Amino acid sequence: MKLLITTPYLTVVGGTEIETLTTAQALANSGKFKKIEIFCPYKPNHENYLDLASNPKIKFSTYPAFFKNENVRKINRIFRITFNLKTSFLENTYWFIKRLRGFDYAYIFATTSQKYYLPLLNNFKRKNCLLKFTLVYEEESPEWKKKYLRTLKRIIVSNIHHMEFLTTTFQSNNVVVQDLTIANEKALLQSKTTRNFTFGILCRFSKEKRIEQAIRLVEKLNLNGKNATLIIQGDGDEKYFEELKEMIKSLHLNQSITLVKRNIPPAQTHLFYQNISFFLITSEFETGPLTGLEAMAAGVPVISYNVGAMKTRFKDHDFLIVNKFEEMYKMASQLIDLKKIEYQTLSNSIRQTYISQCSNTPKVEKLETLFFQK
C-alpha cells in the first residue's frame, strides 16, 4: 500500500515537524506500507530531519518550482477570481495528477486555520483521508469547510477538550483522540538525570509560552531560600528572547537562569532532560505538548498548567497539574525539598506511566487501525 503524508512546513525543529517524521518512520518500519511520500508545500530543510525519517521507503516532494513564478501566480489568481474558486487552480491540477499515482491513503497534518490541504481533498477519496489537527483554534469555521471535514475518514486531535469542541462545531462523529509520538524514545527511556539544573524549559521562544512566569517562579523560590536554577532552550522570536534576557538581568538572576537560543536536534533531546530535575510548562495554551511526553519518558517530573493533554497524561500524578501561578510555586517548593529516594520514586513512577500509557508503539498500532477500519 502507498501512503501520502502532508505537512505545512518542514523548515524548523517544531512539534508538528517532529511528529510528521516520526509517524512516517514508524509506519514505514511497521511494514504496512510499501511506499510513503511526505509532501510539503515548501521545500523541506532536510538537514534537521535525516535522522528522523531514514527508512528507504520514505521520500519527500513539494510543488514544482514554477508555481512561485510571478506570471504563473497572476494567471492562477485570474482563474480563481473568474471561476470563483475556493482553492488554487494550479494546486488542484497538481493533486489531480498526483491522485493518478495510486495512493491508498492520505494522512494530513494541519492547524484548524490552514487550508493548504483543501486541493488534495478535492481530488482524493475523502473516506481514505485522515486529518490530524496539530493546533486547534477555538473559533467558528465556515459551513463549506465543515462539509469538507465531515466527509473525512477521521479527524484526529491530541486531547479530549479539542475532540469535544470539534465534534460540536462540525456536528460530526468522526473526531478521535490520538496523542503525539515522540522522537528519540529509546534514549529518553534510558537516560539518567544528573540534576545540574533545578528546572528546565525546552520550547520555542514565543509569547504564548509565558516563559516570564518561570523566571518569576525562580525569583520567588530564591527569595525564600530555595536556591533554584533554570535552563531555557529553543529558537523563535528574537524580540521576545531579548525581553527575557532583560527581565533576567533586571531581577539579578543571571547566575540562576541560563538562556540558550539554539534548537536541540530531536535525536539529542535526552541530553537536555538528563540535566534537569523538573520540567516546567507555563504556556497559555497547548495541543500536547510534545515536550511533556519527552520529559515523562526521561523520568523527569513535570509541573504544568492545565493545558492540552497534560491532565490526561498525568491522571495518576494529577497533583503536578496546576491552574494558577501560586499553585505552581507551592508545588515547586514542595518538590525541591524531596529527599533523593523520594525524588527517585516519583521519577520512576512517571517513567512507568509513560511506558504503560503513553509510549509510541500502541499509538502507531492505533493509527494503523484508524487507516484500515471500515
Side-chain angles (χ1 to χ4, degrees):
M1 288 192 173
K2 295 168 67 176
L3 172 66
L4 174 70
I5 296 178
T6 75
T7 191
Y9 303 105
L10 280 175
T11 52
V12 298
V13 180
T16 299
E17 292 82 358
I18 292 171
E19 188 186 6
T20 298
L21 296 165
T22 55
T23 301
Q25 180 79 352
L27 291 172
N29 291 343
S30 75
K32 297 290 174 60
F33 296 96
K34 67 177 184 180
K35 175 183 175 183
I36 296 178
E37 183 172 323
I38 301 174
F39 170 87
C40 179
Y42 306 96
K43 186 178 180 180
N45 179 358
H46 291 272
E47 180 183 350
N48 295 322
Y49 302 111
L50 285 176
D51 56 344
L52 291 186
S54 57
N55 191 297
K57 295 178 184 177
I58 300 171
K59 75 170 192 174
F60 294 84
S61 64
T62 188
Y63 285 129
F66 73 83
F67 273 33
K68 296 185 177 72
N69 180 280
E70 188 55 39
N71 290 327
V72 172
R73 294 173 71 175
K74 284 180 181 178
I75 294 170
N76 193 41
R77 283 195 294 271
I78 291 169
F79 268 95
R80 287 192 67 171
I81 294 169
T82 303
F83 297 102
N84 194 28
L85 301 175
K86 288 186 171 63
T87 55
S88 160
F89 171 78
L90 269 180
E91 292 172 12
N92 270 293
T93 304
Y94 175 89
W95 287 111
F96 174 79
I97 296 170
K98 199 80 166 175
R99 182 191 67 185
L100 301 178
R101 297 185 181 178
F103 289 98
D104 297 283
Y105 296 98
Y107 190 30
I108 302 160
F109 289 89
T111 71
T112 51
S113 64
Q114 290 172 331
K115 301 176 183 178
Y116 83 93
Y117 57 87
L118 294 179
L120 181 156
L121 295 184
N122 286 338
N123 290 281
F124 278 58
K125 290 182 179 179
R126 295 178 199 166
K127 286 300 180 184
N128 291 341
C129 295
L130 277 67
L131 170 60
K132 173 69 179 284
F133 279 132
T134 56
L135 185 60
V136 175
Y137 296 101
E138 297 191 19
E139 55 193 18
E140 187 62 29
S141 296
E143 191 58 38
W144 65 266
K145 190 174 181 181
K146 292 179 186 179
K147 289 180 179 178
Y148 264 91
L149 301 184
R150 286 190 197 112
T151 59
L152 297 181
K153 189 178 186 72
R154 287 285 185 270
I155 296 171
I156 303 172
V157 292
S158 298
N159 62 71
I160 293 171
H161 174 72
H162 288 157
M163 181 190 73
E164 293 172 345
F165 169 74
L166 292 179
T167 297
T168 302
T169 300
F170 297 156
Q171 297 179 330
S172 174
N173 61 357
N174 67 342
V175 186
V176 297
V177 175
Q178 164 89 334
D179 207 347
L180 311 171
T181 55
I182 65 172
N184 202 28
E185 184 182 58
K186 183 177 179 181
L188 287 164
L189 287 170
Q190 294 174 348
S191 68
K192 295 181 179 179
T193 178
T194 57
R195 304 184 68 180
N196 292 333
F197 293 88
T198 314
F199 301 108
I201 294 179
L202 184 62
C203 72
R204 184 180 71 258
F205 285 100
S206 183
K207 288 279 189 181
E208 75 272 6
K209 301 298 182 181
R210 299 193 298 190
I211 297 171
E212 58 272 11
Q213 293 205 16
I215 295 171
R216 290 290 183 189
L217 177 66
V218 171
E219 178 197 28
K220 187 167 184 176
L221 287 166
N222 289 357
L223 287 173
N224 287 278
K226 296 298 184 182
N227 196 29
T229 57
L230 168 66
I231 181 169
I232 308 162
Q233 183 163 351
D235 208 345
D237 186 340
E238 184 68 38
K239 182 180 178 184
Y240 184 51
F241 177 78
E242 292 298 326
E243 288 173 2
L244 294 174
K245 280 177 64 177
E246 285 301 312
M247 181 180 180
I248 291 166
K249 183 179 178 181
S250 68
L251 295 173
H252 308 290
L253 290 172
N254 293 81
Q255 299 302 311
S256 301
I257 299 177
T258 301
L259 283 179
V260 183
K261 195 172 187 294
R262 183 178 68 250
N263 278 321
I264 296 178
Q268 298 177 19
T269 51
H270 61 290
L271 300 178
F272 177 87
Y273 293 102
Q274 71 183 23
N275 268 327
I276 64 175
S277 296
F278 307 101
F279 190 75
L280 296 176
I281 297 174
T282 54
S283 306
E284 182 180 2
F285 57 86
E286 288 283 358
T287 302
L290 186 71
T291 50
L293 287 173
E294 291 175 339
M296 290 179 74
V300 175
V302 181
I303 311 173
S304 173
Y305 284 128
N306 185 9
V307 292
M310 291 306 296
K311 191 169 185 178
T312 300
R313 294 168 179 172
F314 278 81
K315 61 180 182 290
D316 295 336
H317 306 86
D318 58 1
F319 57 91
L320 295 171
I321 308 302
V322 299
N323 294 298
K324 299 176 182 178
F325 177 81
E326 282 303 315
E327 294 174 9
M328 180 169 280
Y329 166 73
K330 289 177 182 177
M331 180 51 57
S333 186
Q334 292 173 28
L335 292 175
I336 286 175
D337 290 338
L338 289 177
K339 296 176 182 177
K340 186 176 181 180
I341 186 64
E342 292 172 329
Y343 176 87
Q344 196 57 54
T345 299
L346 178 60
S347 171
N348 292 342
S349 177
I350 287 170
R351 178 174 272 157
Q352 191 55 49
T353 296
Y354 175 85
I355 292 169
S356 62
Q357 301 178 25
C358 303
S359 58
N360 283 350
T361 299
K363 293 174 192 171
V364 174
E365 290 172 351
K366 179 183 175 182
L367 181 58
E368 289 174 344
T369 301
L370 292 176
F371 278 118
F372 302 131
Q373 272 180 345
K374 297 296 184 183

